[in-house]
Amino acid sequence: MKKFQNKSELSLYLGALRANGSSIGFVPTMGALHHGHLSLVNKGLSENDFVVVSVFVNPTQFDNQEDLVKYPRTLDEDIILLKTVSDHKIIVYAPTVEDVYANSVTSQSFTFDGLEYEMEGAFRDGHFDGVGTIVKRLFEIVKPDNAYFGEKDFQQLQIIRKLVELHHLPLNVVGCPIHRASDGLAMSSRNTRLTKEHREIAPFIYKTLNTAKTMFGTKSAQKVTEWVNNQFKKQPLLEVEYFIIADIKTLKPVKRKSTRKSYRAFIAVYAGDIRLIDNIALN
Ligand code: PAF
């Protein structure tokens, strides 16, 4: 498997592949890969000749230094996992902070038509400036034909679509369904940091989202939101940061349902000091 730490060497290599007419898919990650990531890589391989997987824990998107320090870094295991998918068609880019940011580890300031102020944007200061900065930079380095993002971070996916649109970036953004453990917990690199007790209770999040989806067929967004918040109050191991039913285009909370719009329910929950997010399509 080809592995690069340096963006100039990567660019040269990809340039040669492109010159031969090969298409390039891209899966940006922060490592600690799991089967959710592999589903993105597999989708990329089915639609492109090669797939670049970047493994980079991006410092500028963390609003919490402790989370950044504790974020799992498992490059050797990540490569072993990627090799189970393909040894020859996957290219790993695992840069240092200097290779990406030179000597200024700061984010650019972005506007994303207001998408950046909702949910994660409201609770994680500067998060989407950090995501926008790194993803735009990685797109400029990799120059992919198609880039793959999971719907678990649905707000991030919509923001990246907006980034591509507003900055006229020449690539196609592909959203991929949430990959779940057999008990329903959405796959996340943070799951490995859950205690046994928190891991056991965490599927409650998806179970509650599923019931919320059924309720949304007949009840108002407000009633469903109240019900969800009450369910979590009975669950001392999990603390809801937000539960919001929002329009998938604007990400603004729904006031009155319209049959012409599509909605999703979004949730952020603390299990101890681990923050988990999930979402579900409602209609
Ligand atoms: O979703 C992630 O893992 C990160 O936000 C991303 C897109 C790799 C940017 O660092």
Side-chain angles (χ1 to χ4, degrees):
M1 178 172 293
K2 277 275 172 200
K3 196 179 129 220
F4 294 89
Q5 260 202 317
N6 176 289
K7 59 177 179 292
S8 318
E9 287 170 15
L10 174 74
S11 295
L12 259 170
Y13 186 78
L14 295 178
L17 293 182
R18 241 179 259 110
N20 280 337
S22 296
S23 56
I24 312 283
F26 181 36
V27 179
T29 81
M30 297 208 298
L33 301 185
H34 48 68
H35 284 86
H37 293 114
L38 294 193
S39 70
L40 304 183
V41 174
N42 273 315
K43 174 93 170 141
L45 285 172
S46 72
E47 296 180 350
N48 304 271
D49 296 313
F50 293 91
V51 169
V52 176
V53 178
S54 63
V55 176
F56 180 62
V57 181
N58 173 35
T60 64
Q61 72 187 75
F62 284 80
D63 59 327
N64 175 333
Q65 277 310 298
E66 198 186 325
D67 194 23
L68 170 61
V69 172
K70 288 196 176 155
Y71 203 86
R73 289 157 171 88
T74 57
L75 185 59
D76 292 343
E77 286 95 323
D78 292 346
I79 288 175
I80 291 169
L81 203 56
L82 288 172
K83 279 188 180 164
T84 64
V85 176
S86 167
D87 203 356
H88 304 299
K89 297 198 170 277
I90 298 175
I91 298 149
V92 173
Y93 175 46
T96 57
V97 173
E98 295 72 42
D99 192 55
V100 177
Y101 283 102
N103 45 22
S104 172
V105 188
T106 50
S107 16
Q108 206 182 317
S109 178
F110 288 93
T111 53
F112 298 113
D113 278 358
L115 297 178
E116 69 275 27
Y117 301 126
E118 308 299 330
M119 301 183 287
E120 294 298 286
F123 286 92
R124 300 181 68 188
D125 211 20
H127 174 66
F128 287 120
D129 279 340
V131 170
T133 302
I134 187 63
V135 171
K136 185 161 178 283
R137 212 159 276 194
L138 290 170
F139 283 169
E140 284 158 2
I141 296 168
V142 176
K143 299 186 178 65
D145 298 285
N146 302 294
Y148 299 83
F149 293 87
E151 287 183 344
K152 185 174 83 67
D153 296 293
F154 190 84
Q155 183 175 15
Q156 168 174 279
L157 168 65
Q158 297 299 64
I159 280 183
I160 287 162
R161 287 192 165 122
K162 189 60 77 180
L163 172 84
V164 166
E165 178 196 323
L166 294 177
H167 295 261
H168 310 288
L169 305 178
L171 64 111
N172 181 33
V173 175
V174 184
C176 304
I178 299 176
H179 213 75
R180 298 185 180 280
S182 54
D183 59 12
L185 179 64
M187 294 223 173
S188 162
S189 305
R190 288 189 174 86
N191 293 354
T192 56
R193 290 172 50 207
L194 291 168
T195 62
K196 189 167 167 284
E197 258 187 322
H198 284 128
R199 177 61 190 84
E200 274 168 21
I201 197 66
F204 182 80
I205 302 169
Y206 182 54
K207 200 166 153 260
T208 310
L209 285 183
N210 255 317
T211 312
K213 177 182 173 125
T214 309
M215 287 176 76
F216 190 70
T218 53
K219 301 221 174 342
S220 70
Q222 196 194 336
K223 280 269 174 292
V224 177
T225 305
E226 275 167 24
W227 180 82
V228 168
N229 285 323
N230 280 331
Q231 293 307 106
F232 278 93
K233 275 187 196 134
K234 294 182 217 155
Q235 196 49 261
L237 287 175
L238 300 173
E239 196 187 327
V240 178
E241 185 172 57
Y242 65 74
F243 172 82
I244 290 171
I245 295 179
D247 179 319
I248 65 161
K249 288 245 162 65
T250 63
L251 300 182
K252 294 221 178 307
V254 52
K255 293 214 172 74
R256 276 186 53 197
K257 282 196 265 183
S258 155
T259 48
R260 279 172 291 121
K261 290 186 175 164
S262 298
Y263 301 106
R264 269 185 187 248
F266 297 87
I267 194 163
V269 172
Y270 276 96
D273 57 358
I274 309 301
R275 190 171 180 277
L276 301 172
I277 61 170
D278 202 348
N279 67 82
I280 192 167
L282 296 178
N283 63 336

